[in-house]
Amino acid sequence: MGLFLVAVAAWVARVENWRSYTPVAGGGGYGQEDSYVSNEKPSGVIRWLTTVDHKDIGLLYGAYALTAFVVGGLMVVVMRLELINPGQTLISNTFYNSLLTSHGITMLFLFGTPIIAAFANYLVPLLIDAEDMAFPRINAIAFWLLPPAALLIWAGFFPIGDIIPAQTAWTMYTPLSVGEGLGNQGNAGVDLFLLGLHLSGVATTMGAINFIATIFTERGDKVSWANLDIFSWTVLTQSGLILFAFPLLGSALVMLLFDRNFGTTFFAGEGGAMLWQHLFWFFGHPEVYVLVLPPMGIVSYVLPRFAGRRLFGFKFVVYSTLAIGVLSFGVWAHHMFATGMDPRLRASFMAVSLAIAIPSAVKTFNWITTMWNGRVRLTTPMLFCIGFVSNFIIGGVTGVFLASIPVDLVLHDTYYVVGHFHYVVMGAIAFAGFAGLYYWYPLYTGRMYQKTLGKMHFWLSMIGTNITFFAMILLGYGGMPRRYANYLPQFATLHRLATLGALILLVGQIIFVWNFVQSWLEAPKIKDGDPWDLKDSGLYTAEWDWFDRKLQTAIADGGEEADVVPDGGEEADVVPDGGQEPESDADE
């Protein structure tokens, strides 16, 4: 893999003026003379392989993430079919464990983080009036590290010699992942899996550094910290979490690889299992907020557009975002209440875990209050925002119970944990992603999706999510352990219900893919730069102003540089998305 990356770097170094076609507002490239600037990009495959345009890279991230979403979704469908009946042998227990492991890593690292990077790459420079990302080439490199990472993670499923997929679950607990004992986890499939995960972490860290530098240094003159949009605030906070959490995961993975291949004893000796859990969860719980904060930002940005009101309590939403970022590093050991740690230490982690629910509740009340007495339009993006809020409430409340030591000792490692986690990951994070995909669909395609199919996608996803994961919560109350390919007959009804919900979810996602692709290829082109009629409510923002200029000038990279306020549009038509009011509106 190292030789491959060196070869790619050597080839790219031969491409002349590869930065010159980056579409800055004036059509040029940074650090280059005007005589070398071209306003046109290469066409075809070369464009996508060499682009450093933040919008193109955002589309690449989106395509990659949705592909991973399909792969991870099909994995879980096979698992749910296996669980229709107790004792069923549709697939072997070994293959079930392989799917279980790869599904978790795929959805968290190959879908969750990249889909957020897709939105952030495309939108943050537009929202903050920047010409591009601070480090465009690093931005491209960060993406191109991800495809080989996916191939390494999935390598065990390919017919490569005696290599078999990893079966360690996504948490990779030692001593199982060290390869000790008579199990089959000493095979090279686990090593490839760990290397792929490490590579994806490197890519994510590079992207985080780029976002921090961009938001700090590339903001337009009229974009201050006071009126920075809420989505950029959440991306900035997420990037800070990544910067502190992901290097720790990388270090732990390297130590685990050394234990497996070079005879070291970081995790193989006495206390090694506890050491791994501390290192992993010190990364693993901030990772949950790495995944959920930008979707919260998407909902905080999109929901007011269809409520007809500015976001209620903008400053409190920002402060709660920063509070979550800080507190997220003090809750990791609530995953370890059942390990026998000192009761006084457990109590301190319980207190912080309960406290972190407060800023999340602040956001929830702000979203509800924004809709209260608003002019709500139930478009597909708005439906997904409302679905996000309702699912997040269920996922959050069930998480508060798990933060209580006595309750956690009863429910630990049962399906209750699976239901809680998936209410947040699928019911909230994915719903926010769909809200953003539908809301900005005209922006990156120039077309409008089929609205009826969009609403069908929402209702099937909402019904399927609640059937599947509420059944899992009930299974947990009944004592059904997680990660099992077989179960006792008394759990059969709820397992069948969960499988029914998963199949409903599958139908909804098929409709989504069809609508998404078919509309992109065949839907009529949009001729209005304000497809959501945001000017009527004074909520017109910068990305739509860019889109309108693009339509007016008919130049794919955007028109001439325009003097706009931070949220886009004509200064008279727009109020800031949050933060300080314009002086002219002070008396309103």
Side-chain angles (χ1 to χ4, degrees):
M1 180 57 63
L3 291 174
F4 171 75
L5 294 175
V6 170
V8 171
W11 180 82
V12 169
R14 298 178 58 196
V15 179
E16 296 182 2
N17 294 327
W18 75 311
R19 185 64 178 83
S20 63
Y21 57 80
T22 299
V24 297
Y30 299 111
Q32 297 188 359
E33 300 295 333
D34 292 342
S35 59
Y36 292 96
V37 169
S38 169
N39 289 330
E40 298 181 0
K41 300 177 182 179
S43 60
V45 176
I46 296 298
R47 167 190 173 180
W48 297 104
L49 290 177
T50 62
T51 183
V52 289
D53 176 6
H54 69 94
K55 296 184 292 297
D56 286 349
I57 294 173
L59 293 175
L60 288 170
Y61 268 110
Y64 174 89
L66 292 177
T67 301
F69 183 72
V70 171
V71 173
L74 292 176
M75 287 178 176
V76 81
V77 168
V78 174
M79 291 163 58
R80 288 310 321 170
L81 291 175
E82 167 66 18
L83 293 170
I84 289 180
N85 292 309
Q88 184 161 284
T89 56
L90 179 67
I91 58 176
S92 67
N93 292 346
T94 298
F95 192 64
Y96 179 92
N97 292 336
S98 302
L99 293 178
L100 176 74
T101 300
S102 295
H103 164 73
I105 294 295
T106 297
M107 287 307 204
L108 291 176
F109 292 91
L110 304 183
F111 165 68
T113 309
I115 195 66
I116 293 168
F119 286 116
N121 269 281
Y122 202 104
L123 294 167
V124 166
L126 298 179
L127 294 174
I128 67 174
D129 196 24
E131 293 178 327
D132 206 313
M133 296 290 286
F135 306 113
R137 299 186 187 187
I138 293 178
N139 199 27
I141 294 170
F143 169 76
W144 286 110
L145 290 177
L146 288 176
L151 293 178
L152 287 169
I153 289 171
W154 297 332
F157 293 96
F158 305 146
I160 309 174
D162 296 328
I163 294 176
I164 62 174
Q167 300 166 46
T168 61
W170 79 276
T171 54
M172 299 163 284
Y173 278 170
T174 58
L176 175 63
S177 58
V178 175
E180 293 183 340
L182 300 177
N184 57 13
Q185 295 309 288
N187 79 93
V190 180
D191 294 313
L192 295 176
F193 174 82
L194 296 175
L195 286 169
L197 185 55
H198 186 49
L199 194 59
S200 72
V202 171
T204 303
T205 305
M206 293 172 67
I209 294 170
N210 211 350
F211 285 123
I212 293 172
T214 300
I215 295 173
F216 267 89
T217 66
E218 301 295 319
R219 299 194 315 274
D221 294 336
K222 294 186 178 181
V223 183
S224 64
W225 290 113
N227 61 14
L228 182 67
D229 66 278
I230 188 60
F231 179 64
S232 297
W233 271 113
T234 56
V235 170
L236 179 64
T237 307
Q238 179 221 31
S239 299
L241 297 183
I242 290 172
L243 207 57
F244 286 99
F246 271 76
L248 181 68
L249 174 67
S251 301
L253 290 174
V254 169
M255 288 191 287
L256 183 55
L257 285 166
F258 270 61
D259 275 8
R260 292 177 55 83
N261 296 283
F262 300 108
T264 57
T265 56
F266 293 110
F267 306 116
E270 183 178 355
M274 283 289 287
L275 175 60
W276 172 262
Q277 288 199 41
H278 277 294
L279 292 177
F280 179 83
W281 287 118
F282 187 81
F283 147 81
H285 207 84
E287 162 67 3
V288 175
Y289 296 104
V290 164
L291 293 173
V292 80
L293 281 176
M296 286 177 169
I298 292 174
V299 170
S300 299
Y301 193 89
V302 174
L303 184 145
R305 305 293 176 260
F306 301 104
R309 301 177 58 187
R310 293 175 58 202
L311 180 64
F312 178 82
F314 177 89
K315 290 184 178 179
F316 286 97
V317 177
V318 173
Y319 294 151
S320 64
T321 298
L322 299 175
I324 288 174
V326 173
L327 291 173
S328 66
F329 284 99
V331 300
W332 80 87
H334 70 218
H335 294 273
M336 302 170 60
F337 285 159
T339 59
M341 68 170 63
D342 189 297
R344 293 165 296 182
L345 193 59
R346 288 193 309 187
S348 65
F349 280 105
M350 180 178 74
V352 181
S353 299
L354 293 171
I356 203 171
I358 296 173
S360 297
V362 168
K363 292 177 180 293
T364 303
F365 285 119
N366 283 30
W367 294 323
I368 295 172
T369 308
T370 301
M371 291 186 286
W372 190 263
N373 286 334
R375 298 185 297 276
V376 176
R377 293 184 287 158
L378 294 179
T379 61
T380 303
M382 186 61 167
L383 288 173
F384 273 105
C385 286
I386 295 172
F388 169 95
V389 175
S390 61
N391 290 335
F392 183 72
I393 290 172
I394 298 174
V397 169
T398 51
V400 170
F401 284 108
L402 288 175
S404 172
I405 295 171
V407 177
D408 182 79
L409 292 177
V410 175
L411 297 176
H412 182 75
D413 260 350
T414 68
Y415 259 85
Y416 181 94
V417 180
V418 182
H420 149 69
F421 185 66
H422 282 79
Y423 257 112
V424 175
V425 174
M426 179 62 199
I429 294 171
F431 270 53
F434 289 135
L437 286 171
Y438 282 113
Y439 176 66
W440 284 299
Y441 190 86
L443 188 74
Y444 49 81
T445 66
R447 305 171 190 269
M448 181 59 77
Y449 59 87
Q450 298 181 52
K451 297 180 181 179
T452 301
L453 291 181
K455 291 184 178 181
M456 288 176 61
H457 174 215
F458 166 74
W459 285 112
L460 288 171
S461 297
M462 190 69 179
I463 293 169
T465 294
N466 282 277
I467 290 177
T468 301
F469 304 129
F470 200 77
M472 291 183 179
I473 288 175
L474 296 178
L475 282 168
Y477 279 128
M480 172 70 200
R482 64 194 295 195
R483 305 190 183 102
Y484 275 55
N486 202 354
Y487 54 88
L488 298 174
Q490 59 259 38
F491 297 119
T493 300
L494 287 173
H495 269 296
R496 289 167 186 160
L497 195 61
T499 300
L500 172 64
L503 294 176
I504 293 173
L505 270 172
L506 175 64
V507 174
Q509 308 326 303
I510 292 173
I511 291 174
F512 160 70
V513 172
W514 167 261
N515 189 11
F516 200 85
V517 175
Q518 193 268 346
S519 298
W520 197 326
L521 296 176
E522 299 182 5
K525 291 186 177 181
I526 289 178
K527 298 180 180 179
D528 183 7
D530 184 18
W532 299 112
D533 299 322
L534 300 178
K535 290 181 179 178
D536 296 341
S537 54
L539 296 171
Y540 191 65
T541 46
E543 75 276 24
W544 297 113
D545 185 82
W546 169 84
F547 180 62
D548 186 56
R549 297 201 311 273
K550 175 181 173 181
L551 293 178
Q552 295 300 321
T553 58
I555 298 176
D557 295 333
E560 296 299 320
E561 187 171 3
D563 185 15
V564 297
V565 293
D567 292 301
E570 298 296 329
E571 191 162 0
D573 297 335
V574 183
V575 294
D577 188 50
Q580 295 180 349
E581 294 271 6
E583 293 182 2
S584 59
D585 295 339
D587 297 330
E588 294 185 5

